[in-house]
């Protein structure tokens, strides 16, 4: 022996300390990664619900505001006679069935009895008005809308009211119900 320390390797104590420090660092990184994924999922769910809410809001509020009259059917269906410009009128209907809000337009009368072939506006919808209703007439021309849109673990509430403002000159023959 020449008096130099033995540097041929590391001791068992050093190895345990390195493993402990590595485990703490890797555990912290894994926790940050999991929290990042959770936050991303929540953000995606919130953005999806908000986007659906925007589509629902635009469809309902714009159409009813341009309607001369509307009918609420069982609190889960709505049919409106909507002015489309000039002297043209169109029937538009919305119906909530099994958590899916569906939409349809027509030049003739509509029924919300069979909506299987209608377009889907949004999923994960529940009515928030009394009795689980989505639509309620508030007078002859005012409509109250109340619904919750869920996406993943996130949901947004959409509660609003709108008044039908279009006036028919009496020459149109469109009958929506």
């Amino acid at each position: 022996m020449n008096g130099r320390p033995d540097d041929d390797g590391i001791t068992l104590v050093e190895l345990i300390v390195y493993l402990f420090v590595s485990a703490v660092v890797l555990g912290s990184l894994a926790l940050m990664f999991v929290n990042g994924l959770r936050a991303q999922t929540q953000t995606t769910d919130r953005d999806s619900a908000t986007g659906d809410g925007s589509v629902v809001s635009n469809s309902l509020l714009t159409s009813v505001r341009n309607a001369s009259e509307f009918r609420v059917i069982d609190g889960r269906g709505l049919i409106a006679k909507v002015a489309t410009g000039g002297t043209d009128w169109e029937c538009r209907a919305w119906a909530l069935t099994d958590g899916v809000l569906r939409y349809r337009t027509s030049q003739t009368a509509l029924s919300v009895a069979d909506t299987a072939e209608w377009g889907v506006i949004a999923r994960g919808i529940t009515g928030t008005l009394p009795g689980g209703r989505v639509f309620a007439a508030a007078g002859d021309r005012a409509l109250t809308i109340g619904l919750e849109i869920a996406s993943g673990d996130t949901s947004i509430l959409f509660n609003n009211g709108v008044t039908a403002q279009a006036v028919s000159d009496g020459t149109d023959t469109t009958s929506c119900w």
Side-chain angles (χ1 to χ4, degrees), residues 21-177:
V21 169
S22 296
V24 168
V25 169
L26 289 175
S28 298
L29 288 174
L31 186 61
M32 287 181 358
F33 182 71
V34 167
N35 285 338
L37 284 176
R38 187 176 298 127
Q40 175 65 32
T41 300
Q42 290 171 343
T43 300
T44 301
D45 289 345
R46 184 194 67 234
D47 289 348
S48 177
T50 302
D52 287 347
S54 218
V55 170
V56 169
S57 171
N58 185 48
S59 173
L60 286 167
L61 297 180
T62 302
S63 293
V64 174
R65 191 173 295 118
N66 290 317
S68 63
E69 54 186 329
F70 62 85
R71 297 285 186 270
V72 174
I73 295 95
D74 296 329
R76 301 176 72 76
L78 173 69
I79 301 172
K81 182 176 177 181
V82 180
T84 60
T87 59
D88 296 330
W89 295 87
E90 177 177 72
C91 301
R92 296 182 187 176
W94 300 261
L96 180 65
T97 308
D98 298 325
V100 179
L101 186 63
R102 297 180 178 270
Y103 172 73
R104 177 154 185 194
T105 64
S106 177
Q107 295 300 320
T108 59
L110 288 167
S111 168
V112 297
D114 182 19
T115 62
E117 301 297 319
W118 291 20
V120 173
I121 293 182
R123 298 179 187 281
I125 307 289
T126 54
T128 60
L129 298 176
R133 296 177 303 146
V134 177
F135 308 109
D140 291 339
R141 300 181 57 81
L143 177 70
T144 301
I145 304 164
L147 52 90
E148 182 177 10
I149 303 170
S151 179
D153 293 334
T154 303
S155 65
I156 63 165
L157 292 175
F158 175 74
N159 296 308
N160 212 330
V162 62
T163 302
Q165 299 177 4
V167 178
S168 173
D169 63 4
T171 62
D172 65 275
T173 58
T174 306
S175 175
C176 293
W177 35 83

